[in-house]
Amino acid sequence: MEQLIEAILRILQEAGFPAVRQMPQGKYPHLNGAVTAVGLQAAKTAQLRRFSYLGKTEKEGEELELYGKELEAEVFLQSICPRSKGAQTVMQRTDEIAQLLAGPMDTVSLSGFSVGPCTYDAQTDVFTMTVTAQVSAYLYALAEEDGTEFTDFILKGEVK
């Protein structure tokens, strides 16, 4: 699941959006502008087996067995900004993130998303707005030649 969160964080950061992993409840850093916290709401796989055998592949001249499974997840991207920047700042950031999610991504496939309302939290003095995205990804695992352990995991949005 960490690879999925890392992939979403990388997508946001490469687009120029300050983004961090979800923080523990009630802990907000000092904010100078909008930042987006990414967290996992839920995840599941439809397969009962850990991984399905997909065949063999070559890595650095070595033949390895390739295994994989599809992962479906619900990820939230909560934009947060200080009250001093105004609700418009967090609404604009959320709109920009929604536009980014509507485009193509290499590491995950988006099947849909929803945008929640802009809210104000008086206790932390911030405006928040959350995008909840339904994503799917394929998790590939490479096994050592003797099949004893997985040595590498790769996250891809679509099978090619």
Side-chain angles (χ1 to χ4, degrees):
M1 301 311 138
E2 287 299 311
Q3 281 187 329
L4 181 60
I5 298 301
E6 288 297 323
I8 300 291
L9 284 170
R10 199 170 24 263
I11 289 166
L12 292 171
Q13 291 165 348
E14 287 174 1
F17 301 124
V20 296
R21 184 177 312 282
Q22 172 194 11
M23 294 171 241
Q25 186 77 12
K27 293 190 175 189
Y28 283 100
H30 177 72
L31 299 174
N32 294 323
V35 67
T36 301
V38 178
L40 184 65
Q41 190 78 23
K44 68 177 182 174
T45 62
Q47 300 161 322
L48 296 177
R49 288 179 274 155
R50 288 184 66 99
F51 288 91
S52 296
Y53 180 73
L54 301 176
K56 295 196 182 258
T57 188
E58 191 173 307
K59 181 179 179 186
E60 298 172 5
E62 184 180 355
E63 189 175 79
L64 299 172
E65 292 182 336
L66 181 65
Y67 295 82
K69 69 171 17 184
E70 185 175 10
L71 173 70
E72 294 177 3
E74 193 169 88
V75 177
F76 67 87
L77 301 91
Q78 182 182 45
S79 294
I80 307 157
C81 81
R83 180 177 49 93
S84 62
K85 297 292 182 181
Q88 186 61 33
T89 301
V90 82
M91 288 188 282
Q92 180 180 346
R93 174 58 49 83
T94 302
D95 184 54
E96 293 166 345
I97 288 171
Q99 289 177 32
L100 176 66
L101 293 177
M105 294 176 273
D106 289 337
T107 51
V108 297
S109 295
L110 185 71
S111 59
F113 65 88
S114 59
V115 179
C118 179
T119 60
Y120 174 70
D121 183 335
Q123 184 177 2
T124 54
D125 198 30
V126 296
F127 286 103
T128 65
M129 199 165 177
T130 302
V131 174
T132 304
Q134 293 76 40
V135 299
S136 61
Y138 288 90
L139 185 61
Y140 296 102
L142 298 176
E144 286 293 338
E145 194 171 294
D146 62 6
T148 57
E149 65 180 66
F150 292 121
T151 57
D152 193 14
F153 291 91
I154 306 158
L155 192 67
K156 291 282 187 187
E158 295 185 28
V159 177
K160 294 184 181 184

